[in-house]
């Protein structure tokens, strides 16, 4: 018997080499909560309506969550870089489990008060503010090397699939069993995800060294953020892009669908096409590695002007579906390239602080934009307002291309998560050798 015959056959790998334990736990936990969260978005709106509220009340409940998310994001980022990130994530999941469970109980008991729903929604936003920076930092610390962008693409693709499936499943469940039970399922998803995240292995991560204080850490994060022109200019760009795209799709889109496209069904089809596009965009980014990360990412953002322009015309539903699909693909090109650049350029111990400024800049103007959408329609008309949204996307994106680092920042082939106790100066284009956005889920 030969030695080869004597040795047992090797077992095939069930997952890629880059998909280690932490990455797998993070991906599974995020998939579970993304499923629940997108169903809960529908359930919370119908819970408000079933309690006798109107569209304005639905907006107030949603705004309470966004407001507290914005208020606590920077604090959450500093905390996540001072404490073990997985502890922050589990604690945030516990808060979301309790707040969403209480929301579900109120709805199931009947006649929840608006202020109660707003308060519980605000608690959920607070949990998200602490969770998001910690989750993004933990995800970036879970992968290394040349396969980082592939890992991020796979993660985002899974979240996109969960978002599409969660919305469809949540809508069906609200119709079948009512919003209260869907909110209860979302609470259970937070509990399950928090339990999974307790098993993250952080033995390879250096212990956090206490700094000089929370405010000092926030200032240090600001210096890290503002010292990189590519970073703060793209975040400033997205503060405009996310705000106007959000206003166009959450306020103007349903109105155009009602008046011009045949109602909620065609609009849902268009949104579904966007979700399918994000999945295929993730597949594309698992294979494509653009050399100039941020240049490719920024060029892809121009397509986000197309949905607003299509609604302004308005185009037939078939054309709108195609436009939304293309937008979904291109936002994944940006998202994967962006998180890869952060992974490559930001020191590991400051990932969460920088991520917090990124998140803050991206969402801070959303409540203002959605609040001003109605007055803008009254003052200028719906069609000019939509053309204005498209123009702002193009102008903000064009401006970013004047930043040299955005045009020239290169992918490095062999990349470990950076670790440096000192702030790193703004990056110059790095020599090329043979290499959020973002979707951390609660």
């Amino acid at each position: 018997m030969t030695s080869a015959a004597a040795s047992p056959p090797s077992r095939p790998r069930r997952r890629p080499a880059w998909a280690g334990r932490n990455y797998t736990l993070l991906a599974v936990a995020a998939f579970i909560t993304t499923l629940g969260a997108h169903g809960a978005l529908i359930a919370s709106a119908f819970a408000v309506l079933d309690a006798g509220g109107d569209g304005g009340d639905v907006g107030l409940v949603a705004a309470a969550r966004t407001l507290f998310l914005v208020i606590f994001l920077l604090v959450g980022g500093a905390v996540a870089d001072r404490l073990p990130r997985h502890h922050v994530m589990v604690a945030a999941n516990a808060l979301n489990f309790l707040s969403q469970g209480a929301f579900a109980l109120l709805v199931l008991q009947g006649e929840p008060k608006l202020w109660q729903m707003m308060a519980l929604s605000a608690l959920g936003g607070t949990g998200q503010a602490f969770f998001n920076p910690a989750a993004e930092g933990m995800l970036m610390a879970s992968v290394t090397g040349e396969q980082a962008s592939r890992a991020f693409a796979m993660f985002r693709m899974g979240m996109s699939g969960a978002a599409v499936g969660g919305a469809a499943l949540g809508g069906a469940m609200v119709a079948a069993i009512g919003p209260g039970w869907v909110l209860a399922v979302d609470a259970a998803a937070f509990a399950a995800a928090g339990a999974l995240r307790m098993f993250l292995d952080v033995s390879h991560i250096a212990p956090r060294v206490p700094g000089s204080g929370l405010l000092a850490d926030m200032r240090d994060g600001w210096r890290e953020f503002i010292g990189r022109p590519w970073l703060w200019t793209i975040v400033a760009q997205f503060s405009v892009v996310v705000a106007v795209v959000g206003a166009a799709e959450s306020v103007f889109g349903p109105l155009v669908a009602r008046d011009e496209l045949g109602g909620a069904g065609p609009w849902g089809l268009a949104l579904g096409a966007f979700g399918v596009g994000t999945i295929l965009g993730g597949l594309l980014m698992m294979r494509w590695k653009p050399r100039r990360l941020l240049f490719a990412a920024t060029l892809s953002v121009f397509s986000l002007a197309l949905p607003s322009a299509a609604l302004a015309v308005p185009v037939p539903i078939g054309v709108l579906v195609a436009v939304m699909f293309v937008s979904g693909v291109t936002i994944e090109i940006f998202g994967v390239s962006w998180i890869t650049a952060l992974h490559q350029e930001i020191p590991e111990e400051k990932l969460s602080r920088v991520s917090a400024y990124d998140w803050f800049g991206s969402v801070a103007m959303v409540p203002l934009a959605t609040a001003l959408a109605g007055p803008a329609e009254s003052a200028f008309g719906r069609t000019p307002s939509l053309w204005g949204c498209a123009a702002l996307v193009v102008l903000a994106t064009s401006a970013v291309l004047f930043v040299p680092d955005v045009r020239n920042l290169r992918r490095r082939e062999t990349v470990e998560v950076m670790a440096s106790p000192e702030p790193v100066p703004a990056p110059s284009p790095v020599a090329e050798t043979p290499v959020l956005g973002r979707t951390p889920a609660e």
Side-chain angles (χ1 to χ4, degrees), residues 263-287:
W267 182 238
L269 181 63
L271 293 178
F274 178 85
V276 173
T278 62
I279 295 172
L280 293 185
L283 284 172
L284 170 65
M285 294 306 291
M286 290 189 67
R287 294 183 174 274

Side-chain angles (χ1 to χ4, degrees), residues 322-346:
V323 164
M324 295 293 283
F325 172 80
V326 170
S327 297
V329 173
T330 55
I331 195 60
E332 287 304 295
I333 296 174
F334 173 85
V336 174
S337 299
W338 177 247
I339 195 172
T340 302
L342 293 177
H343 173 267
Q344 175 177 294
E345 300 295 327
I346 306 300

Side-chain angles (χ1 to χ4, degrees), residues 186-267:
D186 187 39
F190 281 120
L196 284 174
R197 288 164 177 142
M198 291 176 66
F199 292 98
L200 291 168
D201 179 12
V202 296
S203 59
H204 64 289
I205 299 176
R208 304 291 180 205
V209 178
S212 54
L214 188 64
L215 290 178
D217 284 353
M218 292 172 66
R219 288 194 297 269
D220 186 39
W222 173 252
R223 288 191 295 269
E224 197 73 31
F225 173 79
I226 205 67
R228 292 175 166 81
W230 62 267
L231 179 56
W232 67 261
T233 53
I234 289 181
V235 171
Q237 169 205 9
F238 261 72
S239 69
V240 175
V241 171
V242 172
V244 299
V245 169
E249 295 186 2
S250 65
V251 179
F252 296 128
L255 295 174
V256 173
R258 182 195 65 188
D259 297 340
E260 306 287 347
L261 302 176
W267 182 238

